Amino acid sequence: MFYGQIKKFDIADGEGVRVSVFVSGCKNNCKGCFQPETWDFNYGKEFTIDTVNEVLEALAKPFIQGLSILGGEPFEVENQPDVLELIQIVKEKFPQKDIWCWTGYVLETDILPDYGRRHTEYSDQILRSIDVLVDGPFIEEKKDLQLAFRGSSNQRIIRMKEFWAERDKQ
């Protein structure tokens, strides 16, 4: 996996002060995307153990609330193994920090097992390990600058513990 950027003091991509990793590679190609350069799977730098250590060092600061994983597209099939590995390492080292993840795919129709065109052997573990999923494609006609943590009104902020609790009841 490649990544385009790591923000070590991000207040725009999730609650509190965060470390944000922008992975490379996206097949959604949303019209009006704010980072079309990240569509290229080879954009930026290779994600290595040194990158993981850089993220962990930034997360170690006590004022950092958590990690945000954006893109590009974290749920592209090619990115999921490395995204899961990063999440697992962060959860082990910093269980008190929350993890937010953005996807241009829709949870129920694209990622969950029964329907998901982007579902892989890694998807469920990612979804059960993150705290918040912001899902849905950016739709330029629904762009709304008033929305927190989203670019267009069709996108949802899903608290995953609540999602799983409700789903597991069914």
Side-chain angles (χ1 to χ4, degrees):
M1 181 173 79
F2 280 70
Y3 70 99
Q5 182 179 18
I6 296 172
K7 290 184 180 179
K8 296 180 181 174
F9 305 99
D10 188 359
I11 57 169
D13 297 310
E15 295 167 346
V17 182
R18 313 189 65 74
V19 174
S20 295
V21 176
F22 292 80
V23 303
S24 295
C26 183
K27 297 174 184 170
N28 285 319
N29 300 356
C30 299
K31 178 182 161 197
C33 174
F34 79 106
Q35 293 194 122
E37 64 277 5
T38 65
W39 297 351
D40 180 350
F41 281 85
N42 296 310
Y43 172 74
K45 299 176 184 173
E46 187 173 359
F47 198 85
T48 66
I49 191 64
D50 290 336
T51 314
V52 171
N53 289 332
E54 181 180 350
V55 170
L56 293 175
E57 184 179 318
L59 283 167
K61 294 177 176 49
F63 58 86
I64 297 292
Q65 181 170 328
L67 173 68
S68 292
I69 305 171
L70 309 92
E73 177 55 61
F75 277 94
E76 290 297 357
V77 170
E78 300 87 335
N79 289 337
Q80 288 188 42
D82 291 318
V83 167
L84 177 59
E85 184 176 12
L86 174 61
I87 289 169
Q88 289 174 327
I89 291 168
V90 169
K91 279 289 192 191
E92 183 179 317
K93 182 114 172 126
F94 302 107
Q96 75 283 10
K97 308 255 180 187
D98 63 3
I99 299 177
W100 286 48
C101 189
W102 276 253
T103 181
Y105 296 111
V106 176
L107 176 61
E108 294 84 354
T109 59
D110 296 321
I111 303 171
L112 290 177
D114 295 338
Y115 314 100
R117 60 190 174 118
R118 291 295 178 256
H119 183 267
T120 71
E121 62 191 276
Y122 308 100
S123 304
D124 292 344
Q125 285 182 275
I126 293 170
L127 292 169
R128 289 204 181 259
S129 298
I130 62 175
D131 298 283
V132 176
L133 179 71
V134 181
D135 83 334
F138 172 75
I139 298 176
E140 191 169 48
E141 296 75 25
K142 295 185 177 191
K143 182 177 180 177
D144 185 346
L145 298 176
Q146 302 295 322
L147 296 171
F149 315 125
R150 300 170 287 161
S152 57
S153 60
N154 62 294
Q155 296 172 314
R156 304 177 296 170
I157 297 173
I158 303 168
R159 305 279 172 182
M160 293 306 292
K161 287 182 180 132
E162 295 166 15
F163 172 84
W164 288 119
E166 190 62 34
R167 187 170 174 91
D168 291 342
K169 280 189 218 173
Q170 300 173 357

Coordinates of all heavy atoms in Angstrom, one line a residue, residues 45-83:
K45 N 4.1 7.7 -1.0 CA 5.2 6.9 -0.5 C 4.7 5.5 -0.1 O 3.5 5.4 0.3 CB 5.8 7.5 0.8 CG 6.4 8.9 0.6 CD 6.9 9.5 1.9 CE 7.4 10.9 1.7 NZ 7.7 11.5 2.9
E46 N 5.6 4.6 -0.1 CA 5.2 3.2 0.3 C 5.0 3.1 1.8 O 5.7 3.7 2.6 CB 6.3 2.2 -0.1 CG 5.9 0.8 0.1 CD 6.9 -0.2 -0.4 OE1 7.9 0.2 -1.0 OE2 6.6 -1.4 -0.3
F47 N 3.9 2.4 2.2 CA 3.6 2.3 3.6 C 4.4 1.1 4.1 O 4.3 0.0 3.7 CB 2.1 2.0 3.7 CG 1.6 2.2 5.1 CD1 1.2 3.4 5.5 CD2 1.5 1.1 6.0 CE1 0.7 3.7 6.8 CE2 1.0 1.3 7.3 CZ 0.6 2.6 7.7
T48 N 5.4 1.4 5.0 CA 6.3 0.4 5.5 C 6.2 0.4 7.1 O 5.5 1.1 7.7 CB 7.7 0.8 5.1 OG1 8.1 2.1 5.8 CG2 7.9 1.0 3.6
I49 N 7.0 -0.4 7.7 CA 7.1 -0.5 9.1 C 7.6 0.8 9.7 O 7.2 1.3 10.8 CB 8.0 -1.7 9.6 CG1 7.8 -1.9 11.1 CG2 9.4 -1.5 9.2 CD1 6.5 -2.3 11.6
D50 N 8.4 1.6 9.0 CA 8.9 2.9 9.4 C 7.7 3.8 9.4 O 7.6 4.7 10.3 CB 10.0 3.5 8.5 CG 11.3 2.7 8.7 OD1 11.5 2.1 9.7 OD2 12.1 2.8 7.7
T51 N 6.8 3.7 8.5 CA 5.5 4.5 8.5 C 4.7 4.2 9.7 O 4.2 5.1 10.3 CB 4.7 4.3 7.2 OG1 5.6 4.3 6.0 CG2 3.6 5.3 7.0
V52 N 4.5 2.9 10.0 CA 3.7 2.5 11.1 C 4.4 3.1 12.4 O 3.6 3.7 13.2 CB 3.7 1.0 11.3 CG1 3.1 0.5 12.6 CG2 2.9 0.4 10.1
N53 N 5.7 3.0 12.5 CA 6.3 3.6 13.7 C 6.2 5.1 13.8 O 6.0 5.7 14.9 CB 7.8 3.2 13.7 CG 8.0 1.8 14.0 OD1 7.2 1.1 14.7 ND2 9.1 1.2 13.4
E54 N 6.1 5.8 12.6 CA 5.9 7.2 12.6 C 4.5 7.5 13.1 O 4.3 8.5 13.9 CB 6.1 7.8 11.2 CG 5.9 9.3 11.0 CD 6.0 9.7 9.6 OE1 6.5 9.0 8.7 OE2 5.7 10.9 9.4
V55 N 3.5 6.7 12.7 CA 2.1 6.9 13.1 C 2.0 6.6 14.7 O 1.4 7.4 15.4 CB 1.2 6.0 12.4 CG1 -0.2 6.0 13.0 CG2 1.1 6.4 10.9
L56 N 2.7 5.6 15.1 CA 2.6 5.3 16.6 C 3.3 6.3 17.4 O 2.8 6.7 18.5 CB 3.3 3.9 16.8 CG 2.6 2.7 16.2 CD1 3.5 1.4 16.4 CD2 1.2 2.5 16.8
E57 N 4.4 6.9 16.9 CA 5.1 7.9 17.7 C 4.1 9.2 17.8 O 4.0 9.8 18.8 CB 6.4 8.3 17.0 CG 7.2 9.4 17.7 CD 8.5 9.7 16.9 OE1 9.1 8.7 16.5 OE2 8.8 10.9 16.9
A58 N 3.4 9.5 16.7 CA 2.5 10.6 16.7 C 1.3 10.4 17.7 O 0.9 11.2 18.4 CB 2.1 11.0 15.3
L59 N 0.8 9.1 17.6 CA -0.3 8.8 18.5 C 0.1 8.7 20.0 O -0.8 8.8 20.8 CB -0.8 7.4 18.1 CG -1.7 7.3 16.8 CD1 -1.9 5.9 16.4 CD2 -3.0 8.0 17.1
A60 N 1.3 8.6 20.3 CA 1.8 8.5 21.7 C 1.6 9.8 22.5 O 1.5 9.8 23.7 CB 3.2 8.1 21.8
K61 N 1.4 10.9 21.8 CA 1.2 12.2 22.5 C -0.1 12.1 23.3 O -1.2 11.7 22.7 CB 1.3 13.3 21.5 CG 2.7 13.4 20.9 CD 2.8 14.5 19.9 CE 4.2 14.7 19.4 NZ 4.9 13.5 19.0
P62 N -0.2 12.5 24.5 CA -1.4 12.4 25.3 C -2.6 13.2 24.9 O -3.7 12.8 25.1 CB -0.9 12.8 26.7 CG 0.3 13.6 26.5 CD 0.9 13.1 25.3
F63 N -2.4 14.2 24.1 CA -3.5 15.0 23.6 C -4.1 14.5 22.3 O -5.1 15.0 21.9 CB -3.1 16.5 23.4 CG -1.9 16.7 22.5 CD1 -2.2 16.8 21.1 CD2 -0.6 16.7 22.9 CE1 -1.1 17.0 20.2 CE2 0.4 16.9 22.1 CZ 0.2 17.0 20.7
I64 N -3.5 13.5 21.8 CA -4.1 12.9 20.5 C -5.2 11.9 20.9 O -5.0 11.0 21.7 CB -3.0 12.1 19.7 CG1 -1.9 13.1 19.3 CG2 -3.6 11.4 18.6 CD1 -2.3 14.1 18.2
Q65 N -6.4 12.2 20.4 CA -7.6 11.4 20.7 C -7.6 10.1 19.9 O -8.1 9.0 20.4 CB -8.9 12.1 20.5 CG -10.1 11.3 20.8 CD -11.4 12.1 20.8 OE1 -11.3 13.3 21.1 NE2 -12.5 11.5 20.4
G66 N -7.1 10.1 18.7 CA -7.2 8.8 17.9 C -6.6 9.0 16.5 O -6.0 9.9 16.2
L67 N -6.9 7.9 15.8 CA -6.4 7.7 14.4 C -7.5 7.9 13.4 O -8.6 7.3 13.7 CB -5.7 6.3 14.3 CG -5.3 5.9 12.9 CD1 -4.1 6.8 12.4 CD2 -5.0 4.4 12.8
S68 N -7.3 8.6 12.3 CA -8.3 8.6 11.2 C -7.6 8.1 10.0 O -6.4 8.4 9.7 CB -8.7 10.1 11.0 OG -9.4 10.6 12.0
I69 N -8.3 7.2 9.3 CA -7.8 6.6 8.1 C -8.7 7.0 6.9 O -9.9 6.7 6.9 CB -7.8 5.0 8.2 CG1 -6.9 4.6 9.4 CG2 -7.2 4.4 6.9 CD1 -7.0 3.2 9.7
L70 N -8.2 7.7 6.0 CA -8.9 8.3 4.9 C -8.2 7.9 3.6 O -7.2 7.2 3.6 CB -9.0 9.8 5.0 CG -9.5 10.4 6.3 CD1 -8.3 10.7 7.2 CD2 -10.3 11.7 6.0
G71 N -8.7 8.5 2.5 CA -8.1 8.2 1.2 C -8.0 9.3 0.3 O -8.3 10.4 0.6
G72 N -7.8 8.8 -0.9 CA -7.9 7.5 -1.5 C -9.1 6.7 -0.8 O -10.1 7.3 -0.4
E73 N -8.9 5.4 -0.8 CA -10.0 4.5 -0.3 C -9.4 3.4 0.5 O -8.9 2.4 0.0 CB -10.8 4.0 -1.5 CG -11.8 3.0 -1.2 CD -12.8 3.5 -0.2 OE1 -13.5 4.5 -0.5 OE2 -13.0 2.9 0.9
P74 N -9.6 3.4 1.8 CA -9.1 2.4 2.7 C -9.8 1.0 2.4 O -9.2 0.0 2.7 CB -9.5 2.8 4.1 CG -9.6 4.3 4.0 CD -10.1 4.6 2.6
F75 N -11.0 1.0 1.9 CA -11.7 -0.3 1.6 C -11.5 -0.8 0.2 O -12.2 -1.8 -0.2 CB -13.2 -0.2 2.0 CG -13.4 -0.3 3.5 CD1 -13.5 0.7 4.3 CD2 -13.6 -1.6 4.0 CE1 -13.7 0.6 5.7 CE2 -13.8 -1.8 5.4 CZ -13.8 -0.7 6.2
E76 N -10.6 -0.2 -0.6 CA -10.2 -0.9 -1.8 C -9.6 -2.3 -1.4 O -8.9 -2.4 -0.4 CB -9.3 -0.1 -2.7 CG -9.8 1.1 -3.3 CD -11.0 0.9 -4.3 OE1 -11.3 -0.3 -4.6 OE2 -11.5 1.9 -4.7
V77 N -10.0 -3.3 -2.2 CA -9.5 -4.7 -1.9 C -8.0 -4.7 -1.7 O -7.5 -5.3 -0.8 CB -9.9 -5.6 -3.0 CG1 -9.3 -7.0 -2.9 CG2 -11.4 -5.7 -3.1
E78 N -7.2 -3.9 -2.5 CA -5.8 -3.9 -2.4 C -5.3 -3.3 -1.1 O -4.2 -3.6 -0.7 CB -5.2 -3.1 -3.6 CG -5.5 -3.6 -5.0 CD -6.8 -3.1 -5.5 OE1 -7.7 -2.7 -4.8 OE2 -7.0 -3.1 -6.8
N79 N -6.0 -2.4 -0.5 CA -5.6 -1.7 0.7 C -6.0 -2.4 2.0 O -5.4 -2.1 3.0 CB -6.1 -0.2 0.7 CG -5.5 0.6 -0.3 OD1 -4.4 0.4 -0.8 ND2 -6.2 1.7 -0.8
Q80 N -7.0 -3.2 2.0 CA -7.5 -3.7 3.2 C -6.5 -4.5 4.1 O -6.5 -4.3 5.3 CB -8.8 -4.6 3.0 CG -10.0 -3.7 2.6 CD -11.2 -4.5 2.5 OE1 -11.5 -5.4 3.3 NE2 -12.0 -4.3 1.5
P81 N -5.6 -5.3 3.5 CA -4.7 -6.0 4.4 C -3.8 -5.1 5.2 O -3.6 -5.3 6.4 CB -3.8 -6.9 3.5 CG -4.7 -7.0 2.2 CD -5.5 -5.8 2.1
D82 N -3.3 -4.0 4.6 CA -2.4 -3.1 5.3 C -3.2 -2.2 6.3 O -2.7 -1.9 7.3 CB -1.6 -2.3 4.3 CG -0.6 -3.1 3.6 OD1 0.1 -3.9 4.2 OD2 -0.5 -2.9 2.3
V83 N -4.4 -1.8 5.9 CA -5.3 -1.0 6.7 C -5.6 -1.8 8.0 O -5.5 -1.3 9.1 CB -6.6 -0.6 6.0 CG1 -7.6 0.0 7.0 CG2 -6.3 0.4 4.9

